[in-house]
Amino acid sequence: MSWDLNGLFRRHAKEVVRFLCRRGMNREAAHDLTQDAFVRLLAYNGRSDRSAGNPRALLFHVARNLSIDFYRRERLVQYADLTDEEFFAIPDLSPSVETIVYDQQRLAITAAALAELPERTRLAFELHRLGDMTINEVAEQLELSSTRTWTLIREAYHHIRQRLQAAAD
């Protein structure tokens, strides 16, 4: 058995808004939460395991829980009233298009430089730098001495640095 949500909305939406306003919510937030409550009720509709045979009671229960969540969020979030001038004065910290392109080019050069390395050198570098393994852990995995492992990693850094400098020139 499914509920007549359209009829339920027509009969009880205003009542839910008033209920939420009595709980201290402004009308705009109450309207928003009422819509959210009906969306949640829509998710319950048609489920055989629903605990409430009374959709109106479930609607108010959902609205009450949404209002509790709303007030919890309100306590955690700090709001600042800014004028348009203050808002537009906030610096945009995202990278510029030029920076993104430059970084992508350097990443491509680095990937190509890694591909040019001998297998063991590349693997040592990747395990240490990308795999967050210590020199000793890499040495153990590759069955090398830590001195030899550090030499391989240093060679990889040197090779990558040379390729990046050559591209910059």
Side-chain angles (χ1 to χ4, degrees):
M1 179 172 127
S2 72
W3 301 323
D4 174 21
L5 288 174
N6 191 23
L8 196 64
F9 184 82
R10 277 188 266 115
R11 284 190 306 276
H12 301 294
K14 289 180 183 177
E15 190 179 0
V16 173
V17 169
R18 283 192 303 271
F19 166 76
L20 292 170
C21 287
R22 282 193 307 271
R23 292 182 62 84
M25 200 157 289
N26 66 44
R27 286 198 74 69
E28 184 178 327
H31 280 283
D32 288 344
L33 286 186
T34 299
Q35 289 180 4
D36 290 347
F38 276 97
V39 168
R40 296 270 175 98
L41 198 62
L42 183 62
Y44 283 108
N45 194 17
R47 285 176 43 180
S48 60
D49 65 340
R50 64 179 176 245
S51 58
N54 182 348
R56 180 183 177 276
L58 183 58
L59 175 64
F60 278 87
H61 179 75
V62 169
R64 179 184 167 278
N65 287 344
L66 287 172
S67 72
I68 291 169
D69 293 343
F70 176 83
Y71 283 121
R72 283 181 183 153
R73 271 191 314 274
E74 287 289 309
R75 276 185 280 164
L76 295 175
V77 176
Q78 293 180 355
Y79 294 97
D81 286 329
L82 300 176
T83 64
D84 286 345
E85 190 175 290
E86 292 170 325
F87 176 76
F88 289 116
I90 297 173
D92 181 7
L93 301 178
S94 59
S96 68
V97 174
E98 294 83 8
T99 301
I100 292 170
V101 169
Y102 176 76
D103 289 346
Q104 287 174 341
Q105 289 171 345
R106 291 180 59 87
L107 189 57
I109 293 166
T110 302
L114 279 173
E116 297 168 356
L117 292 171
E119 179 69 21
R120 199 181 329 189
T121 305
R122 182 188 52 74
L123 188 56
F125 177 83
E126 288 175 348
L127 289 173
H128 177 64
R129 186 70 178 135
L130 306 174
D132 282 336
M133 293 175 76
T134 65
I135 301 287
N136 289 334
E137 290 170 337
V138 173
E140 190 176 306
Q141 177 146 350
L142 297 178
E143 298 176 352
L144 298 170
S145 70
S146 13
T147 305
R148 179 64 184 140
T149 303
W150 176 241
T151 302
L152 292 175
I153 293 170
R154 192 177 62 233
E155 287 172 3
Y157 273 114
H158 181 70
H159 181 72
I160 292 167
R161 193 174 309 115
Q162 280 182 324
R163 291 295 180 258
L164 289 170
Q165 285 174 348
D169 294 336

